């Protein structure tokens, strides 16, 4: 499954940012909580010494806590600030405790000496439990402060920080999308150039100013140039082979002519084989020149080529006085090599002119994806069983065979290499043979490799 670079970068950014925000959020919450608890613990420790000084013996010889020496907050019932003092197994309680007691067991260690976090009636209390010596007696001081309001404030602040982080993340994501799109702009332009290259509008990709993309553009341009040079060398080799084979065949034909005087039968057999060899060489060399959809950037406009072809056909078949109609606009183009177009139309139009009584028609039209060519004539047509045989994949008819099979093997090869479709049938308008060829204007990668 394909994934875009932008989607991957955005997904990775969101994941990393969310992890970072959560870690920072938890760390910030823990740090603020510890700071607040440390402040409360320091205050409890300070109040413990104040209360220790307020512990004194009354006139009756008992122990009391002098209320004039302590913070009034401890005198207000349920104020959230409490203490209890034990002297000689006697407990003295702050008025703020009312009828409650500070728990002296259990709780959670918060990292402060003598201080624990306990929960009483679902409220968190910080409890300081410390023993002092006064006048030779052990005095146990237990102080507590309700930190529920502090915890609620810390939670609100934590959610505010989380919301701020989320907003900041969204802003960063928008900024990153803009930066990524600007960074990938060169890839978008390269994609557009490749599309234009496939459609034949350009022959090379335009240079880019991005260091990472420039090698890709250079390699693609080099590949296009290499393919073009290789195709040109192949065509040159085909031409050289054709010229090299003509001389031995010419010498062989002369020897055959000389042999006719002494041994006519053997000479006739050799003459037949020589003709077959020439036909075979011509057919195979023609096929070798078929380029197919090998090179991107090919676009041959059909109208000028059609005009040249029709002038030639009218000269060849001038005795038949054919009415050749063409419906090809100047915007119709063939997505490939000129040689392929001429081989394709040359064979089909020659067949149509050969078998037509008086009329031949060629129509070409395109849509966004396909070029459609229709060649019709008013000749005798072709039987349905021959149509099936001609369109069977791998069928090869000799070019010397009479009928509409002339050159069909080459036509079939060209259509197949361009990943197109070929169909034969009866023309409803002219009542002869109707040949329809559909060729994709934008051949997808992998189609040719599968043929």
């Amino acid at each position: 499954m394909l994934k875009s670079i932008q989607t991957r970068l955005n997904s990775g950014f969101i994941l990393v940012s969310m992890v970072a925000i959560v870690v920072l959020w938890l760390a910030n919450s823990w740090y603020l909580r510890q700071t607040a608890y440390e402040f409360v613990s320091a205050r409890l420790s300070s109040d413990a010494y104040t209360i220790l000084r307020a512990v004194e013996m009354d006139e009756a010889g008992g122990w009391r806590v002098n209320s004039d020496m302590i913070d009034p907050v401890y005198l207000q019932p349920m104020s959230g600030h409490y203490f209890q003092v034990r002297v000689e197994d006697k407990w003295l309680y702050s008025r703020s405790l009312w009828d409650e007691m500070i728990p002296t067991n259990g709780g959670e260690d918060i990292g402060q000496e003598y201080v624990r976090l306990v929960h009483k009636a679902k409220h968190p209390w910080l409890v300081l439990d410390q023993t002092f010596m006064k006048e030779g007696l052990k005095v146990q001081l237990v102080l507590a402060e309700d930190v529920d309001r502090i915890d609620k404030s810390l939670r609100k602040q934590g959610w505010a920080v989380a919301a701020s982080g989320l907003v900041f993340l969204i802003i960063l994501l928008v900024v990153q999308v803009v930066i990524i799109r600007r960074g990938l702009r060169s890839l978008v332009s390269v994609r557009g150039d490749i599309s234009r290259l496939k459609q034949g509008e350009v022959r090379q990709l335009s240079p880019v100013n991005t260091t990472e993309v420039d090698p890709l553009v250079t390699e693609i341009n080099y590949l296009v140039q290499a393919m073009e040079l290789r195709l040109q060398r192949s065509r040159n080799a085909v031409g050289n082979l054709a010229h090299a084979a003509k001389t031995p065949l010419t010498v062989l034909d002369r020897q055959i002519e000389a042999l006719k005087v002494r041994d006519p039968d053997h000479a006739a057999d050799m003459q037949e084989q020589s003709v077959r060899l020439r036909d075979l060489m011509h057919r195979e060399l023609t096929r070798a020149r078929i380029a197919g959809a090998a090179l991107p950037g090919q676009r041959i406009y059909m109208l000028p080529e059609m005009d040249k072809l029709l002038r030639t056909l009218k000269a060849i078949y001038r005795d038949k006085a054919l009415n050749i109609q063409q419906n090809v606009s100047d915007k119709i183009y063939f997505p490939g090599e000129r040689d392929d177009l001429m081989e394709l139309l040359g064979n089909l139009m020659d067949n149509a002119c050969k078998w037509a009584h008086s009329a031949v028609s060629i129509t070409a039209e395109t849509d966004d994806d396909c070029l459609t060519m229709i060649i019709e004539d008013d000749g005798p047509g072709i039987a349905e069983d021959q149509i099936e045989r001609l369109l069977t994949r791998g069928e090869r008819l000799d070019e010397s065979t009479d009928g509409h099979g002339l050159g069909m093997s080459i036509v079939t090869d060209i259509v197949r290499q361009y990943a197109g479709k070929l169909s034969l049938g009866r023309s409803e308008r002219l009542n002869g043979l109707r040949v329809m060829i559909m060729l994709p204007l934008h051949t997808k990668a992998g189609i040719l490799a599968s043929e």
Side-chain angles (χ1 to χ4, degrees):
M1 181 173 60
L2 299 178
K3 294 183 180 178
S4 69
I5 296 177
Q6 181 169 328
T7 301
R8 292 183 180 182
L9 291 177
N10 289 339
S11 301
F13 173 77
I14 293 175
L15 179 61
V16 173
S17 299
M18 288 298 295
V19 172
I21 288 177
V22 170
V23 171
L24 290 175
W25 178 55
L26 294 176
N28 179 72
S29 299
W30 178 87
Y31 177 77
L32 290 178
R33 182 172 179 266
Q34 289 299 113
T35 301
Y37 286 0
E38 183 178 354
F39 174 79
V40 173
S41 299
R43 186 167 60 193
L44 289 175
S45 180
S46 176
D47 288 353
Y49 286 100
T50 301
I51 295 172
L52 181 63
R53 287 196 299 271
V55 175
E56 59 185 15
M57 186 175 291
D58 58 14
E59 297 176 354
W63 293 94
R64 69 172 185 174
V65 177
N66 189 348
S67 59
D68 295 334
M69 299 176 62
I70 62 175
D71 195 319
V73 72
Y74 290 101
L75 303 178
Q76 181 182 349
M78 309 305 296
S79 64
H81 298 263
Y82 317 106
F83 73 81
Q84 59 191 31
V85 182
R86 186 176 69 173
V87 184
E88 294 182 340
D89 296 329
K90 179 181 179 181
W91 283 100
L92 306 174
Y93 301 97
S94 65
R95 183 173 178 79
S96 59
L97 266 175
W98 204 245
D99 294 329
E100 299 291 333
M101 292 186 63
I102 301 174
T104 57
N105 296 319
E108 174 187 345
D109 186 12
I110 63 169
Q112 301 295 324
E113 191 175 10
Y114 305 117
V115 179
R116 302 183 322 278
L117 176 66
V118 299
H119 288 81
K120 182 175 178 62
K122 297 183 179 180
H123 281 216
W125 284 14
L126 283 182
V127 177
L128 182 145
D129 187 352
Q130 191 172 1
T131 301
F132 299 89
M133 297 296 296
K134 183 174 183 178
E135 298 179 6
L137 298 175
K138 287 185 178 181
V139 180
Q140 181 182 1
L141 292 179
V142 182
L143 285 81
E145 183 172 335
D146 190 342
V147 292
D148 184 58
R149 287 179 297 177
I150 295 177
D151 280 357
K152 288 181 178 179
S153 298
L154 291 177
R155 282 195 295 269
K156 288 182 180 179
Q157 185 175 2
W159 287 117
V161 170
S164 301
L166 183 60
V167 173
F168 185 65
L169 174 61
I170 294 175
I171 295 174
L172 285 181
L173 182 61
V174 173
V175 172
Q176 175 173 285
V177 169
V178 174
I179 294 175
I180 291 176
R181 287 185 177 179
R182 289 185 177 181
L184 297 180
R185 189 174 298 170
S186 57
L187 286 178
V188 175
S189 64
V190 170
R191 179 184 178 184
D193 282 350
I194 292 176
S195 178
R196 290 191 292 271
L197 181 67
K198 291 170 59 179
Q199 297 175 15
E201 298 177 3
V202 296
R203 298 301 298 270
Q204 294 284 302
L205 301 185
S206 304
V208 295
N209 57 0
T210 305
T211 304
E212 292 80 6
V213 181
D214 183 65
L216 175 63
V217 173
T218 302
E219 291 299 324
I220 292 177
N221 286 336
Y222 173 78
L223 179 61
V224 173
Q225 294 175 0
M227 291 173 63
E228 189 170 358
L229 291 174
R230 184 177 301 175
L231 179 59
Q232 188 61 42
R233 286 196 298 267
S234 298
R235 287 176 174 170
N236 293 337
V238 168
N240 294 336
L241 177 60
H243 286 292
K246 287 180 180 179
T247 300
L249 284 176
T250 301
V251 174
L252 182 60
D253 288 342
R254 290 177 181 177
Q255 295 295 327
I256 292 173
E257 292 295 330
L259 184 61
K260 286 181 179 179
V261 179
R262 300 189 302 272
D263 191 349
D265 294 336
H266 286 84
D269 292 338
M270 294 182 65
Q271 183 70 44
E272 180 183 356
Q273 297 301 319
S274 176
V275 172
R276 292 184 60 184
L277 181 59
R278 284 182 180 275
D279 292 341
L280 178 62
M281 183 184 71
H282 176 72
R283 182 168 63 248
E284 295 303 324
L285 290 179
T286 300
R287 285 176 180 156
R289 290 198 302 270
I290 297 175
L295 284 178
Q298 300 295 314
R299 176 177 288 193
I300 306 300
Y301 288 92
M302 292 183 58
L303 186 58
E305 306 301 331
M306 282 299 307
D307 291 339
K308 298 176 187 177
L309 178 60
L310 294 185
R311 285 196 298 267
T312 302
L313 292 173
K314 288 179 180 179
I316 295 175
Y317 296 99
R318 59 180 176 272
D319 295 338
K320 303 183 69 172
L322 295 173
N323 178 21
I324 304 178
Q325 299 178 349
Q326 65 165 323
N327 182 17
V328 181
S329 71
D330 56 357
K331 296 182 179 180
I332 302 297
Y333 66 89
F334 176 76
E337 295 286 334
R338 179 184 179 277
D339 290 346
D340 297 343
L341 175 63
M342 300 312 295
E343 288 286 352
L344 189 65
L345 293 181
N347 279 291
L348 294 176
M349 291 297 293
D350 182 66
N351 272 338
C353 292
K354 177 179 179 180
W355 292 100
H357 298 307
S358 61
V360 175
S361 171
I362 177 170
T363 302
E365 56 186 16
T366 60
D367 54 23
D368 294 337
D369 301 314
C370 183
L371 165 66
T372 302
M373 295 181 288
I374 300 175
I375 298 95
E376 300 173 283
D377 63 64
D378 62 349
I382 189 170
E384 292 186 2
D385 58 342
Q386 285 187 304
I387 292 178
E388 294 297 329
R389 187 161 61 94
L390 284 174
L391 294 182
T392 301
R393 184 182 179 92
E395 182 73 18
R396 294 292 185 267
L397 299 182
D398 190 87
E399 293 184 4
S400 62
T401 302
D402 292 336
H404 288 280
L406 183 62
M408 286 303 296
S409 60
I410 294 176
V411 171
T412 304
D413 284 343
I414 295 175
V415 173
R416 184 182 302 128
Q417 291 194 46
Y418 279 87
K421 295 180 179 179
L422 169 66
S423 62
L424 307 179
R426 175 71 63 176
S427 172
E428 295 181 359
R429 186 164 62 90
L430 299 180
N431 201 35
L433 180 65
R434 179 180 184 271
V435 180
M436 183 174 70
I437 296 174
M438 301 178 66
L439 301 177
L441 294 179
H442 316 295
T443 304
K444 295 182 180 180
I447 291 181
L448 297 179
S450 64
E451 294 293 339

